Structure formats: structure tokens, C-alpha cells
Amino acid sequence: DNQIRFVKSALWYHGYGRPELYQLPSDGSAGSRELLLAFSWLLHRLSLLEQLLARNRVKTGDETSVCTCEDDLPDSQKGLTEIAPEYGPEDRVDVRYLQWLNGRLRFQWRSLHAQHQEQCKLLHKIHLFTSGSHMDQTLGHFSVTETDLVRQPENYKQLLQLLESETLQLEAFLEWKQLESVYWQWMETVLDNVAEEGNPCESQDAHVETTGLPEVTSRCPWADGLTEHIDRLSRDLTTLHHQLQKLVTHRKAAWCEKVKTREEELQKEGFPATARKIQESVELKLQDLTYLCAPRKNRAHGLCRLVLRSKHPASKSSWGRSVSQEPVSAASAAEVIRELQMREASLGRELKQLREECRRRLDEIAEGLDGVICVTP
């Protein structure tokens, strides 16, 4: 029962919204076709097989994760935030508890960062001491796995078994790719049968469909009251839409009046000083625009193998996805650091702007409070 409830909760979390699956009995006595549909949905939505191959891949080299892309959610994660629960006034948490959690999280991040720095130091020692020992001149040094095999040759049998298992998985994946079209054609026939069988049930038992979602949400504690929240959000969005239309009209009139007043002021005061300030503001915004419009081909993403920078011309690249003698696409550590520094500066400017906006809103709220004195930290 616990496994079945866990599977239903996991599918609900990933956005699977077919009510028939959540109405299945908890003893597993029925629902093989619903499980097949759910599995096929995961197969297509989350790229399940590719994720399993990536997780079970045998890592013989020293790799690290590099990402200089935007903060867009991957395809497999899109939609997860759309069904996130909304907490009401009765579910509010003490702010002091949240502060304690934030402090604990910061402490864990610092510990993780310190461990990562120690790991980088040890990797550098291994790469430096084994420099020139590797047969592949593009690398020039051993990885941790290769160094362990040199020190303990008897461990090669276990590594060989892992490589053979990975080879079998890759062969099975290639066979699946050849027959994948047949599988999806079969799933189309299954869906057609489900649609044909579902029509008479909808006409006879319409009340079952209306009561399906409450039963689903009752099985998932965090999703309780999701339908009511959606209805309330729909009404709030409609109200906000009308308010925004009025606000846009008011702001447009105020902006036109402000521009007209500013034009009169510019005619009176010195124009060069004002133009200089505008130019500085435009240059600051252009820096962010240049970063956002940078070609995506120069942005690294994914796992890259760590290669020690050497003075030899054969190993000029410090990061690479391949270890062959052919020219490969590589990302220099200096380039990644420079890219991340630009990103940090852009996020810092955005954070400063958001803080000023929050401070301004707090000042507006404080002005409406009688008998309260707010001191800016």
C-alpha cells in the first residue's frame, strides 16, 4: 500500500492528471492499463531512459558539472511549479522557524563548498603527480579511477563488470530506439480503446467525474484543496486584469505629463549633464543586453571532464567532453569564470533593484500606519 501511494504521489507531483489512476484500489488488484499509460507518459515527458543511462554511466574520468545557460527550467521540470500548493492563512509558518531553516541551509552550503574546495585540491595533486603518464597525450595524466587501478590492480575486475553492464544497457537502448515507433503505435491503439470505453461511462456516471479530484487530492496531503485554490486564483486574475487596465491608463497619462514636465526642465537647466547621466544608464543596461544576447554556442552545459592545463601544445584545452586526438569543443576554466562573473554582476544589479523596490513599498506601507516608527536598517 505504501508503494502504491508513493507512486501515485510521485506521478501527481510530476503533473500526471489522469483521475482514473488515482481512483485505483490500494491493493494493486486492478489497473494494469492505467499503469501502462502512466509509464508511457513518464517515458515521453521525462526522457526516462536517457536519465537512467546517464545515472548508471560508468565514470572513468574526473568530471564536473558546468552550466552557463539561462535559468530556464528544463523540459522535464516545466509545469512542476504550476501545480505547487498554495498555503492559506491557517498554514502560515513562524518566521523565526524560517530564519532558522535559512541559517541551517547557509551552513550546509558553506560546508559543501569547503568540501568541494578540498576535493579540487586533491584532484589537482593527482593530476599534477601523474602528469605525462597517460597514453593519450590530450589528457596527459590519470584520473582518480585510473590512479586507483594502478595502485590496486585487482579492482579492474569490478570495473570491467560495470563496463560490461553499461554496454548491455546501451545495446538495449539502441534496440529500443529501433522499435520505439512500434511501441508508440501500439500506445495509440490503447488510447483509442480507452476513449471508446470511456464515453458510455461519462454519460452514465457523470457524478463520479466531478468527485474524482477530491479523492485524488485526499491521497496527496500537500494537494488538498487544489481545486478551490485554482478557482480563487481564476477570480483573482480576472480582478487583477481589470485593475491593471485602469493602472496602465493612469500610468500612461502620468508618464506623458512627467515627460512634458521634464522637457520643460531640460530647456532651463544644463542639457549636457542630463545627457551624460542618461548615457551612463543606457550603457549599464546595454551590458545586461550584451550578456543576454551572447551566442548560445559559447555557453557550456552538462558534465565536462577535468583536464589539467599544460604548457604542451597537445593539451591546451582545460575542459573537454572528449579525449580523442581530434580537435574537440572545450571550455577553458578562465572563460567559465569570466562568464559566471558577468552573470553574478547582472544578478547583483537585479538584486539591488529589487531591494530598492521592496524598500520603497515598505515605506509606502509604513506611511499608512499610525503611531508606528520604522527605522531603516
Side-chain angles (χ1 to χ4, degrees):
D1 292 349
N2 293 333
Q3 291 180 353
I4 292 176
R5 285 195 295 268
F6 172 76
V7 170
K8 291 181 179 180
S9 300
L11 286 170
W12 183 266
Y13 170 77
H14 285 289
Y16 187 73
R18 182 170 170 80
E20 286 78 0
L21 175 73
Y22 305 103
Q23 296 171 358
L24 295 177
S26 300
D27 56 358
S29 59
S32 58
R33 185 170 62 183
E34 293 299 329
L35 290 176
L36 176 62
L37 292 174
F39 171 75
S40 301
W41 183 85
L42 288 174
L43 202 64
H44 173 71
R45 178 71 179 272
L46 303 181
S47 301
L48 192 60
L49 297 182
E50 288 79 356
Q51 290 190 19
L52 291 176
L53 288 177
R55 179 176 298 180
N56 298 330
R57 186 172 62 89
V58 180
K59 300 178 181 179
T60 57
D62 301 325
E63 297 178 347
T64 186
S65 178
V66 179
C67 180
T68 58
C69 303
E70 299 298 328
D71 289 335
D72 297 335
L73 291 175
D75 294 337
S76 60
Q77 300 296 326
K78 288 181 180 178
L80 298 186
T81 57
E82 298 175 0
I83 59 175
E86 179 184 349
Y87 297 97
E90 66 279 0
D91 300 324
R92 290 179 180 175
V93 186
D94 191 357
V95 177
R96 292 171 295 182
Y97 177 69
L98 296 178
Q99 291 176 343
W100 176 78
L101 287 180
N102 185 35
R104 186 178 180 182
L105 181 61
R106 290 171 64 90
F107 175 75
Q108 295 293 338
W109 271 111
R110 291 177 181 176
S111 302
L112 180 63
H113 181 64
Q115 294 175 7
H116 185 67
Q117 285 184 325
E118 185 66 22
Q119 181 187 12
C120 291
K121 292 179 181 178
L122 296 176
L123 282 177
H124 179 72
K125 289 182 179 180
I126 294 176
H127 294 173
L128 187 63
F129 291 159
T130 60
S131 180
S133 303
H134 205 285
M135 295 179 59
D136 193 342
Q137 296 301 323
T138 306
L139 294 175
H141 57 77
F142 289 160
S143 64
V144 174
T145 304
E146 294 167 343
T147 305
D148 184 65
L149 289 178
V150 172
R151 296 180 60 187
Q152 300 177 357
E154 62 276 6
N155 292 341
Y156 82 94
K157 293 183 179 180
Q158 182 181 2
L159 179 61
L160 184 61
Q161 292 177 356
L162 294 176
L163 291 174
E164 290 177 351
S165 175
E166 183 182 6
T167 302
L168 293 177
Q169 294 178 11
L170 291 174
E171 291 176 354
F173 181 74
L174 291 177
E175 185 178 359
W176 155 256
K177 279 299 182 182
Q178 295 177 357
L179 302 175
E180 185 178 8
S181 59
V182 179
Y183 176 82
W184 292 118
Q185 290 177 2
W186 173 51
M187 288 307 302
E188 288 181 359
T189 59
V190 174
L191 288 174
D192 293 339
N193 294 333
V194 170
E196 293 176 359
E197 296 176 4
N199 290 331
C201 296
E202 292 177 359
S203 59
Q204 296 176 2
D205 302 328
H207 66 280
V208 177
E209 184 177 355
T210 59
T211 59
L213 279 178
E215 293 182 5
V216 174
T217 55
S218 63
R219 299 174 187 270
C220 305
W222 63 267
D224 189 20
L226 183 62
T227 307
E228 290 79 1
H229 293 324
I230 292 176
D231 295 337
R232 188 172 68 254
L233 284 175
S234 179
R235 293 191 299 269
D236 293 343
L237 286 175
T238 305
T239 305
L240 285 175
H241 178 69
H242 296 305
Q243 292 179 356
L244 284 175
Q245 286 182 344
K246 297 179 181 178
L247 183 61
V248 167
T249 305
H250 176 71
R251 288 287 180 88
K252 186 179 294 185
W255 179 255
C256 293
E257 186 66 24
K258 185 178 180 180
V259 170
K260 183 178 180 181
T261 306
R262 190 58 180 167
E263 289 178 353
E264 296 176 355
E265 292 178 356
L266 287 177
Q267 294 177 358
K268 297 178 181 179
E269 62 185 23
F271 181 77
T274 307
R276 192 182 308 110
K277 293 181 181 180
I278 295 176
Q279 184 177 3
E280 293 176 356
S281 177
V282 171
E283 289 178 354
L284 185 62
K285 293 182 179 180
L286 282 177
Q287 291 179 0
D288 295 341
L289 185 61
T290 303
Y291 171 78
L292 293 175
C293 297
R296 294 185 178 271
K297 62 180 181 180
N298 296 331
R299 298 180 180 180
H301 179 78
L303 293 175
C304 295
R305 180 163 183 172
L306 288 170
V307 180
L308 183 64
R309 182 183 295 275
S310 175
K311 296 181 180 180
H312 301 287
S315 59
K316 288 184 178 180
S317 60
S318 60
W319 303 54
R321 295 182 180 272
S322 175
V323 296
S324 62
Q325 297 291 345
E326 299 294 332
V328 296
S329 59
S332 172
E335 296 177 357
V336 176
I337 292 174
R338 184 164 53 252
E339 183 77 14
L340 293 177
Q341 287 176 346
M342 294 175 59
R343 187 68 180 278
E344 181 185 9
S346 176
L347 292 176
R349 290 189 291 268
E350 184 178 356
L351 177 61
K352 183 179 179 181
Q353 182 180 0
L354 290 175
R355 283 178 174 174
E356 293 177 354
E357 179 68 19
C358 290
R359 186 178 294 108
R360 184 185 62 80
R361 292 178 61 185
L362 288 175
D363 292 339
E364 293 177 355
I365 295 174
E367 291 177 357
L369 300 176
D370 297 333
V372 178
I373 300 176
C374 298
V375 180
T376 305

